[in-house]
Amino acid sequence: MIQFNQVTKRYPGGLEALRSLSFQIESGELVFLAGHSGAGKSTLLKLIAGIERPTSGSVVVSGQNLASLKRASVPFVRRHIGLIFQDHKILFDRSVFENVMLPLDIVGFDRREATRRVRAALDKVGLLGKEKLNPVALSGGEQQRLCIARAVVHRPAILLADEPTGNLDRAYSLDIMELFKSFHQVGVTIIISAHDESLMADYGRRILRLSKGQFTQ
Ligand code: ADP
Ligand code: ADP
């Protein structure tokens, strides 16, 4: 489902964020991505999402080589991906409901079906009672769950979560992990990054460990 072949990513200025990385993630896998701040975790996830392009090597997602894909086609690939990134990009001039509706509006989804999907996603993350609120009124943990609802409302095949538990205490973090587990159970391919490995240990899943842009044991 996701394949990196000798992928190097060098940012302008010369820094190599990823160095000749090769790995493969099968459809339906749940994989953790560990490593200190600056190790290259976000870069790896951005390459899968087509937000960044490799300097060399190939990134193949759902059979598509992103490096040779025309820029105009990237949005089509991204429709099959749900993103939960650190800078939430929550829109504070809209309600909780409207924030989750956004990805469906963009693809011109049927309104009734979209409304049903948004409510299902909000129900899933436990925010259905707060759909009319402005997101400012949500706690940090609730804002994170809003982001998760927005990332899954279009039922992506792949879910990428960059430090989704970064700012949350342990109890909230475990709740969030349970949510990811439930998406995993319906067949979604999931990559979750974190600098704190203690949360990952209990799940018995593959852990990819990055250090200075390379894998370590
Ligand atoms: P992590 O997510 O593990 O903290 P990142 O992928 O964000 O790591 O960063 C890896 C390295 O690439 C860091 O040294 C970071 O400073 C650098 N980097 C990340 N994004 C950019 C960018 N847009 N321009 C230049 N350097 C970047
Ligand atoms: P339906 O009721 O038609 O089966 P829903 O929109 O209610 O569909 O979603 C079913 C559940 O599956 C929800 O909890 C939803 O969050 C979850 N889900 C999230 N992403 C996916 C996905 N990629 N494929 C299938 N189900 C998903």
Side-chain angles (χ1 to χ4, degrees), residues 26-149:
E26 304 301 332
S27 179
E29 254 196 282
L30 190 165
V31 174
F32 291 109
L33 185 58
H36 295 299
S37 177
K41 304 183 296 299
S42 300
T43 301
L44 188 153
L45 295 176
K46 284 177 182 168
L47 285 168
I48 297 170
I51 295 168
E52 294 286 353
R53 292 192 166 222
T55 309
S56 62
S58 67
V59 175
V60 182
V61 177
S62 307
Q64 301 254 32
N65 184 342
L66 298 190
S68 59
L69 205 62
K70 290 201 187 73
R71 264 182 207 283
S73 304
V74 172
F76 293 98
V77 174
R78 218 172 284 167
R79 278 181 198 178
H80 305 290
I81 298 180
L83 296 176
I84 299 155
F85 272 28
Q86 279 161 301
D87 48 344
H88 290 149
K89 301 203 174 69
I90 290 173
L91 302 175
F92 290 101
D93 60 344
R94 297 163 200 233
S95 68
V96 166
F97 182 92
E98 287 162 344
N99 266 274
V100 178
M101 179 66 96
L102 212 62
L104 300 181
D105 270 346
I106 289 168
V107 297
F109 225 79
D110 169 74
R111 196 76 196 171
R112 267 184 62 183
E113 173 63 9
T115 300
R116 197 191 69 73
R117 286 269 195 103
V118 172
R119 293 180 61 86
L122 284 170
D123 189 29
K124 177 87 186 169
V125 302
L127 283 179
L128 199 49
K130 304 202 169 179
E131 63 178 6
K132 293 197 178 71
L133 295 182
N134 186 288
V136 222
L138 303 182
S139 71
E142 287 173 335
Q143 288 190 4
Q144 187 59 282
R145 284 190 273 143
L146 165 58
C147 293
I148 294 172

Side-chain angles (χ1 to χ4, degrees), residues 113 116-117 120-121 124 152 155-157 183 186 188:
E113 173 63 9
R116 197 191 69 73
R117 286 269 195 103
K124 177 87 186 169
V152 300
R155 295 196 202 145
F183 297 129
V186 296
V188 183

